[in-house]
Amino acid sequence: MSTQVRFLTKNFGAYDTNSIGAYMNIGGFKALRKAVTMDPEDICTMLSDAKIRGRGGAEYPLGRKWSQARAVKGENKVIICNADEGETTTFKDRELIKNDPFNLIEAMIIAGFVCGATDGYIYMRAEYACYRPILLNAIRQAKNYGFLGENILGKGFDFNIHLYSGGGAYVCGEGTALIRSIEGKAGRPRMKPPFIKVSGVFARPTCLNNVESLSLVPHLLLDQDTYMNCGMGESIGTKLVSVAGNVNNPGVFEIPFGTTIRDIIYNLAGGIQHDREIQLIQFGGASGKVSDASILDTPYTYDDLRAAGVMVGSGGLLVIDKRTSVLDFLRMNQEFFSEESCGQCTPCREGNLHIKIILDKLAKGEATEQDIKTMSTIAKVMSMSSLCGLGETAQNTLQSAMKKFPEVFAIGGTKA
Ligand SMILES: Cc1cc2nc3c(=O)[nH]c(=O)nc-3n(C[C@H](O)[C@H](O)[C@H](O)COP(=O)(O)O)c2cc1C
Ligand code: SF4
């Protein structure tokens, strides 16, 4: 039987989120006070020792990212908090924003101190407009208390935070698209290099972090032991997972890495509605990979999931029961990408459309073996030649389904 842990979520419900005083009463801003007495490089080392990988989906090591951001030469560096949370079935970041906004603000100031930045931008998805007052109030109060502005804590560093609303498109969560959106341009990705760590928002060196990645930092600064004692193997600590689909108790759970998928689905998320059988589980949202129920006893760690053919990614888990066919699920997923492709580059724009056409043909029983081969080729070409991560990962679900459920693609065979 699994238990949830309260490391990252320990402030949830513990203070009035409208009040900086209430936050300080439970230890708020102690981590910042500690951070400014430390060598910033030691903070990067602490993050690397904890093996924190970015929680936004790409799993890039946080300590390395901050160390690289520090090393970039340039004035007026920027920290961006990616709160676009556009990945389907992923709704953990909003819990952190809603339940512990001051911790996020504190984390951004620490990031600013470590990376040598002067400005922080929170880019929050448009649909989270109801949380804007919470963050605006937290920013205002932090400024009034001298945690934002000039000469913070008398340490001679200046930092301000600005809140932006997302452009309402999935692709705006991609770093370069997000930056263009902040700059007032259409939120479309651009070629790299230059990498955003060198030339990001308004051509300033920029360090982009997910809400959950940032939110971990103040907690870790104050209590490394608890974090380091959680987890399994190379996956140290805890993770927020958001479970959606045909489960009895969908929601966000903080688990120690190493919890089995079975524990997550059957204990935390309450099992499958009406005790139906699992058809498939999608890990990490629409750009994630799928498995069948054979994955249930796999521990939720980066390495174990990868060995089982899926990924942690954004931390979303979509559980689909036997009422939905694999093919219908794939068509729905593909519809999403056909809609969300920004249309800028050919492999993604045309590839997503053609795969949708072939999946529809397959559903009508009209697809040929050549269609299946063509679909597989398009999926490979897209992952190799698309301009941004959307096109590169759009076919993860399809490609993993082709391996896990080959019968779905067998012409003349039985469909699951
Ligand atoms: C199409 C697309 C959408 C993305 N959406 C998000 C998002 O909503 N939130 C997020 O944190 N990262 C998103 N990412 C990943 C970001 O580009 C980036 O890797 C991440 O914000 C870095 O933060 P991290 O290292 O803390 O994970 C997206 C990437 C792509 C390609
Ligand atoms: S891969 Fe897709 S979303 Fe990304 S730039 Fe190309 S068309 Fe746009």
Side-chain angles (χ1 to χ4, degrees), residues 171 189 340-345 348-349 386-392:
V171 76
E340 294 295 337
S341 166
C342 84
Q344 208 178 182
C345 67
C348 173
R349 181 187 64 241
S386 292
L387 192 150
C388 86
L390 187 149
E392 282 166 359

Side-chain angles (χ1 to χ4, degrees), residues 19-291:
S19 160
I20 194 167
Y23 180 61
M24 288 166 74
N25 284 341
I26 60 155
F29 291 103
K30 270 192 191 161
L32 174 64
R33 289 182 197 282
K34 179 174 177 188
V36 296
T37 64
M38 293 172 69
D39 179 341
E41 203 49 51
D42 289 343
I43 297 178
C44 298
T45 306
M46 176 195 78
L47 300 176
S48 296
D49 289 347
K51 298 188 191 292
I52 297 176
R53 303 195 203 182
R55 307 300 205 224
E59 303 181 358
Y60 193 80
L62 182 62
R64 194 188 304 162
K65 183 183 278 191
W66 282 20
S67 208
Q68 288 171 341
R70 275 176 55 64
V72 172
K73 294 197 180 9
E75 298 284 295
N76 300 323
K77 292 183 195 172
V78 173
I79 303 294
I80 296 182
C81 169
N82 191 344
D84 201 46
E85 193 147 65
E87 195 58 84
T88 59
T89 71
T90 307
F91 43 97
K92 63 188 179 63
D93 293 341
R94 76 167 181 217
E95 295 303 312
L96 291 164
I97 294 165
K98 184 170 70 174
N99 293 301
D100 202 2
F102 283 102
N103 180 66
L104 179 59
I105 301 301
E106 184 174 2
M108 287 188 73
I109 304 168
I110 295 168
F113 170 74
V114 172
C115 302
T118 52
D119 285 285
Y121 292 83
I122 302 175
Y123 186 85
M124 186 162 68
R125 68 178 287 155
E127 292 85 342
Y128 290 176
C130 55
Y131 306 124
R132 277 179 67 83
I134 296 179
L135 283 178
L136 287 172
N137 174 61
I139 293 167
R140 186 177 51 80
Q141 292 195 17
K143 193 158 189 152
N144 287 345
Y145 273 70
F147 295 116
L148 286 171
E150 290 176 6
N151 193 21
I152 294 167
L153 296 174
K155 296 288 174 186
F157 92 99
D158 308 338
F159 192 72
N160 284 296
I161 296 182
H162 319 271
L163 179 61
Y164 275 72
S165 276
Y170 170 71
V171 76
C172 283
E174 191 274 346
T176 59
L178 184 157
I179 283 169
R180 282 186 161 176
S181 175
I182 289 180
E183 291 172 343
K185 300 172 188 155
R188 284 180 159 180
R190 66 153 169 82
M191 294 279 281
K192 290 181 274 186
F195 293 100
I196 63 174
K197 66 182 169 196
V198 179
S199 180
V201 69
F202 302 116
R204 294 158 65 176
T206 298
C207 180
L208 174 69
N209 305 270
N210 169 260
V211 173
E212 184 184 350
S213 317
L214 283 166
S215 298
L216 275 167
V217 177
H219 294 292
L220 197 64
L221 271 163
L222 296 180
D223 180 11
Q224 267 166 282
D225 287 350
T226 303
Y227 192 80
M228 299 302 280
N229 286 329
C230 274
M232 190 171 154
E234 292 293 293
S235 301
I236 299 173
T238 74
K239 175 83 192 82
L240 290 189
V241 292
S242 51
V243 188
N246 304 131
V247 289
N248 286 313
N249 180 31
V252 175
F253 308 100
E254 183 174 8
I255 55 155
F257 275 112
T259 304
T260 63
I261 311 300
R262 187 184 298 281
D263 267 348
I264 297 172
I265 294 176
Y266 285 92
N267 294 325
L268 298 175
I272 313 300
Q273 292 158 354
H274 304 288
D275 291 327
R276 293 190 178 98
E277 273 181 72
I278 292 177
Q279 176 77 287
L280 64 86
I281 309 166
Q282 186 185 40
F283 292 79
S287 65
K289 300 183 179 182
V290 294
S291 180

